Amino acid sequence: MLITTPNLTKPDESYARLIATHDGLDEAESHALNARLILILMNHIGNDAVLAEAMDLARNPKKGAA
Amino acid sequence: MKYDVPERYTLAFRLYPYAKSPDQDAATPARHKAIVVGGGPVGLAIALDLGKRGVPVVLLDDHEGAGLGSRALCFAKRTLEICDRLGAAAPMLAKGVQWNLGKVFHDDRLLYEFNLLPEGGHAFPAFINLQQPWFEKFLHDAIVAAQAQGAPIELRGKNRVDAVIPAEDHVTVEVMTPDGPYRLEADWLIACDGARSPLRTMMGLGFDGRVFEDNFLIADVKMKADFPTERWFWFEPHFKSGDSALLHKQPDDIWRIDFQLGWNIDRAKEMEPARIRARVDAMLGPDVEYELDWSSIYTFQCRRMEKFRHGRVLFAGDAAHQVSPFGARGANSGIQDVDNLAWKLALVLDGTAPESLLDSYDAERVYGADENILNSTRATDFITPKTGVSKMFRNAVLQLAETVPFARTVVNSGRLSMPCTYDGSALNGPDHPDMPARTRPGSPCPDAPLGDGWLLARLGRGFTLLAIGAEVPDRLIAHGLAVPRLLLEPTPEITSRYLGGAKGAVYLIRPDQHVAARWDRFDDTEVAAAMTRAIGKG
């Protein structure tokens, strides 16, 4: 099951790192990086049902409130 | 008046020259049990399978043998196992090229290599490469051998079906020959007349699915160059031929090159030998000597008929379903159609099974076709991404595949043909939870060593009862069918493929070597009920 409650050990650090990872990249390079990152994280999660939940939530963010 | 049945293509082998049949002079149309239309791999195989089961069968083909050109090339293990049952596999294996290693390139970079690493303990390799005309010739050789043993198979070359008139309990066809037209009647008609199936058109039946706007150029080149026997696949190749390219070895020093050209091409121009040579030169490098052996441009679609059974007419192979070339799922799935259909039709014709058993051919092979179409469509979408974002993810996968192992599992240059498991089929009987998933009801039996030979070779033409560490009667008769038993020792292969964690196992195997049902012990009533179900009386 997809974790939607707080789970990041260092939320501010991780978010800042995400932004910094894109430093100096143009928009196309940033998109490509995001694509690689998503694929890497997908593999780390592994579970197809969890991924389906995550994709559904990303597509329909209002569902998070339910 | 002079009649003609013109050739639409050049023959590689003239196998069944036209000869006038007494049927052509009959006052009323001769009636046959089964008529097969089409002499490709599927038509020849179904005629052979039916004939070996004692069903009189007449095959009508508007040509007199196998057409020129490599076309279907990769034949999978399951196809070879089916052909072995039909007595045709040994020469295929002897002539075919076996390969295990594949290399995947993006542009000019080698991303990774894969090894098919076929599981040990099987009579046949994962794949062989063999040109389609040779595959057809070996099936024909097996037909000739079967005819010599009395199999009632008749092949009629230059017999073109021009009209089909379906009725409640038979089908009439109008056939054109060099001696003029004649009529025939069939209890059952099997349409194996290819992706453009004239029979399908004559019957006004649809063939729906997804159109992929793409052209593929096949160039078969003969060369002595020292390329390894490997499958090389390029995404966006550096020699700029299009979205993908494939290099694959065939017998006789011939190499198959597939160039994906895109949609908006000048077909006539692309077929000019000089232009093909320029493409091949760019791929192989300037110093490689070769001859162009055969070339062709083709397009494809992923589609199927809504139903494969239309009363007394049964569609099989490309006539019923069509896929992209990625994954070798065309001819291989057609041979699985044959495997599924022949025993059912034989049991219906001899009165053992109800006609409705043939509805399970429709259900099971539609399920198989959908699986093939799904796999083939996914490969096509990976190779030719349809949107900007899809291309971005595709290229991200390719980039990661060079260094990160997980991404290689996502790279899709075709998921190579595997036989279908008929999950949920109405013919399936009970399962047992302690036994391996790969042999659940509906699955094709995996081969295993058995003494000096092989398990699949020991399965008969009918139903079989397999027993591992379980008591079964040595003679069982159900619905008038003898069900011989085969006792297996729990060798490592038998244990891992059939027994699993169970103490004993009893398997009811269908005539097409698919599992009908399994238990951990023999129970007369249960086996009888499973037989009833498996022949469509359940």
Side-chain angles (χ1 to χ4, degrees):
Chain A
M1 188 176 151
L2 183 71
I3 300 169
T4 53
T5 53
N7 192 44
L8 293 162
T9 54
K10 297 180 178 176
D12 290 350
E13 281 76 1
S14 297
Y15 184 77
R17 195 186 311 282
L18 174 66
I19 303 304
T21 302
H22 287 267
D23 280 354
L25 300 183
D26 66 23
E27 195 156 330
E29 290 166 335
S30 268
H31 282 311
L33 183 148
N34 279 338
R36 291 194 296 275
L37 184 60
I38 289 168
L39 290 164
I40 291 165
L41 296 175
M42 272 176 67
N43 182 63
H44 188 86
I45 294 165
N47 185 300
D48 182 61
V50 174
L51 291 172
E53 272 189 82
M55 289 175 201
D56 185 45
L57 179 58
R59 179 84 199 211
N60 306 292
K62 283 182 181 166
K63 281 194 183 173
Chain B
M1 181 169 172
K2 180 82 184 116
Y3 299 98
D4 191 22
V5 180
E7 285 187 353
R8 294 174 290 115
Y9 46 78
T10 311
L11 293 186
F13 302 111
R14 176 163 273 108
L15 300 172
Y16 34 87
Y18 171 74
K20 194 172 180 186
S21 157
D23 287 355
Q24 293 171 239
D25 295 324
T28 56
R31 178 78 166 258
H32 294 273
K33 294 270 187 203
I35 291 181
V36 173
V37 180
V42 176
L44 290 169
I46 191 81
L48 177 56
D49 205 343
L50 289 171
K52 284 179 88 92
R53 292 179 186 282
V55 174
V57 55
V58 175
L59 182 147
L60 307 175
D61 189 3
D62 64 346
H63 287 66
E64 297 176 306
L68 199 67
S70 54
R71 296 170 294 145
L73 180 64
C74 289
F75 293 95
K77 183 205 301 274
R78 183 65 199 141
T79 296
L80 294 170
E81 290 168 353
I82 295 165
C83 289
D84 193 42
R85 183 172 62 70
L86 298 175
M92 292 173 180
L93 200 58
K95 174 95 184 163
V97 172
Q98 290 184 34
W99 60 276
N100 287 316
L101 201 63
K103 285 185 177 156
V104 177
F105 300 85
H106 186 201
D107 197 348
D108 59 353
R109 289 168 299 129
L110 171 65
L111 298 182
Y112 65 96
E113 301 180 5
F114 64 89
N115 195 321
L116 291 179
L117 275 184
E119 182 184 60
H122 289 256
F124 292 98
F127 279 94
I128 61 165
N129 287 359
L130 180 69
Q131 296 95 324
Q132 183 173 332
W134 283 102
F135 186 81
E136 293 175 16
K137 183 181 185 304
F138 293 140
L139 283 173
H140 181 262
D141 289 347
I143 287 175
V144 172
Q147 286 168 327
Q149 309 243 323
I153 308 168
E154 198 190 326
L155 307 180
R156 297 187 186 172
K158 279 201 184 267
N159 271 240
R160 187 186 67 215
V161 174
D162 283 348
V164 55
I165 305 132
E168 188 69 25
D169 63 345
H170 72 281
V171 185
T172 305
V173 286
E174 286 182 10
V175 185
M176 179 56 79
T177 75
D179 287 315
Y182 73 111
R183 282 188 164 215
L184 284 174
E185 288 179 1
D187 288 358
W188 297 91
L189 186 78
I190 305 145
C192 313
D193 53 347
R196 291 190 195 92
S197 177
L199 279 170
R200 196 182 59 220
T201 307
M202 288 174 216
M203 290 177 67
L205 299 168
F207 198 39
D208 295 326
R210 218 173 125 190
V211 179
F212 291 89
E213 298 192 333
D214 228 314
N215 289 280
F216 287 79
L217 168 68
I218 300 179
D220 281 354
V221 303
K222 191 169 181 110
M223 63 178 175
K224 301 280 188 189
D226 199 16
F227 277 96
T229 304
E230 299 171 356
R231 176 190 195 262
W232 288 12
F233 188 94
W234 285 262
F235 291 98
E236 300 179 320
H238 61 91
F239 38 88
K240 304 297 173 202
S241 58
D243 282 340
S244 76
L246 179 71
L247 177 69
H248 224 175
K249 182 146 199 228
Q250 306 179 25
D252 308 321
D253 295 319
I254 293 179
W255 295 79
R256 156 75 68 87
I257 304 174
D258 268 286
F259 295 108
Q260 188 177 355
L261 299 183
W263 186 238
N264 291 310
I265 62 160
D266 181 339
R267 202 182 163 95
K269 193 171 149 197
E270 294 296 348
M271 281 296 286
E272 288 170 9
R275 193 160 170 91
I276 294 173
R277 292 196 74 96
R279 286 190 186 283
V280 176
D281 289 347
M283 177 195 242
L284 299 177
D287 304 325
V288 178
E289 281 187 34
Y290 63 87
E291 297 162 34
L292 277 182
D293 181 70
W294 179 76
S295 55
S296 169
I297 288 182
Y298 68 97
T299 60
F300 68 85
Q301 307 189 347
C302 286
R303 54 185 178 173
R304 69 163 168 85
M305 298 178 72
E306 192 190 343
K307 296 186 95 37
F308 297 171
R309 180 187 171 197
H310 290 266
R312 293 286 179 130
V313 183
L314 300 147
F315 287 82
D318 283 358
H321 45 77
Q322 197 187 2
V323 292
S324 82
F326 306 116
R329 289 167 182 272
N332 285 307
S333 67
I335 297 299
Q336 288 170 48
D337 291 348
V338 169
D339 196 34
N340 192 284
L341 178 56
W343 68 273
K344 293 175 179 173
L345 188 53
L347 288 185
V348 168
L349 273 166
D350 75 11
T352 305
E355 255 182 51
S356 59
L357 179 61
L358 294 167
D359 291 331
S360 76
Y361 164 72
D362 176 75
E364 292 183 339
R365 293 313 299 161
V366 162
Y367 183 84
D370 283 348
E371 189 176 287
N372 285 320
I373 287 170
L374 178 67
N375 276 289
S376 168
T377 300
R378 284 177 175 170
T380 307
D381 284 344
F382 191 86
I383 292 162
T384 307
K386 303 296 182 287
T387 64
V389 74
S390 145
K391 181 154 187 167
M392 184 178 73
F393 275 112
R394 198 284 304 270
N395 284 349
V397 169
L398 294 179
Q399 199 181 4
L400 289 170
E402 200 172 348
T403 51
V404 194
F406 89 80
R408 295 167 196 167
T409 64
V410 185
V411 173
N412 191 345
S413 65
R415 299 287 179 228
L416 293 168
S417 173
M418 297 290 284
C420 182
T421 291
Y422 303 126
D423 283 319
S425 169
L427 304 191
N428 291 350
D431 191 7
H432 193 284
D434 297 341
M435 295 177 201
R438 69 188 287 183
T439 37
R440 65 190 183 277
S443 306
C445 287
D447 207 356
L450 201 62
D452 297 337
W454 300 98
L455 170 60
L456 295 187
R458 293 283 301 279
L459 298 175
R461 201 165 288 160
F463 284 86
T464 307
L465 212 50
L466 287 187
I468 308 151
E471 295 283 324
V472 292
D474 60 355
R475 199 171 137 78
L476 182 78
I477 298 208
H479 299 280
L481 299 171
V483 184
R485 69 172 183 185
L486 186 56
L487 304 177
L488 304 178
E489 295 297 320
T491 61
E493 290 89 354
I494 293 294
T495 300
S496 75
R497 294 170 198 177
Y498 289 91
L499 190 57
K503 289 203 169 55
V506 174
Y507 278 76
L508 179 64
I509 309 297
R510 302 178 356 176
D512 57 7
Q513 303 178 343
H514 280 248
V515 174
R518 58 183 183 178
W519 307 265
D520 59 0
R521 65 195 153 69
F522 177 81
D523 181 295
D524 200 13
T525 318
E526 291 245 2
V527 173
M531 272 295 288
T532 302
R533 218 177 153 80
I535 61 167
K537 285 184 158 176

